[in-house]
Amino acid sequence: MTEISLQQREKLARIAMRTELENQQAGESVELFIRHHLEEIEPEYWQEHFATATPTVLQVLDALILISQWGDDSEKLDFTLADDVTDYVICVSFDSKGQVIDISMES
């Protein structure tokens, strides 16, 4: 993989997730992840982390945390919600040139 720092890859991943959300691309993995959790998680969690029981989709997106980096031929970064509230992640995959090639929701 092209020498690109984890911080740079994380920034690229966040831009790609926001772009997918705004353009509703690639099966809408990001929107599906966020809307699912907005419906399923108790309002107390949102209140604690966002000071509102009903955060916006963009607020949730901006609050996702990077929890792991893995892969061989291509690198993958996993993002999720804080405090182990879910087993689901948004996985952002990169090609060998450091470009985002896929975004998916996984468990």
Side-chain angles (χ1 to χ4, degrees), residues 1-102:
M1 175 169 224
T2 302
E3 287 302 315
I4 180 170
S5 73
L6 176 59
Q7 184 178 7
Q8 290 170 312
R9 283 190 300 274
E10 180 178 355
K11 183 177 180 181
L12 290 172
R14 290 183 182 280
I15 290 169
M17 288 188 292
R18 181 176 285 269
T19 299
E20 178 188 294
L21 183 63
E22 290 171 351
N23 296 332
Q24 297 183 340
Q25 299 173 350
E28 303 167 347
S29 301
V30 176
E31 185 173 14
L32 177 63
F33 175 92
I34 294 172
R35 293 210 181 274
H36 168 77
H37 289 91
L38 285 171
E39 292 171 7
E40 296 297 320
I41 295 175
E42 296 297 324
E44 294 79 17
Y45 174 86
W46 304 117
Q47 188 68 44
E48 177 183 339
H49 292 277
F50 296 91
T52 177
T54 56
T56 67
V57 170
L58 287 176
Q59 285 175 309
V60 176
L61 176 65
D62 289 341
L64 294 177
I65 58 170
L66 176 63
I67 59 164
S68 66
Q69 158 188 4
W70 57 282
D72 293 325
D73 294 335
S74 65
E75 184 159 9
K76 300 175 187 327
L77 300 180
D78 290 341
F79 295 84
T80 196
L81 296 167
D83 292 344
D84 297 320
V85 72
T86 181
D87 291 330
Y88 288 96
V89 298
I90 296 176
C91 179
V92 181
S93 301
F94 293 84
D95 65 15
S96 61
K97 295 178 183 175
Q99 299 298 310
V100 173
I101 56 171
D102 188 50

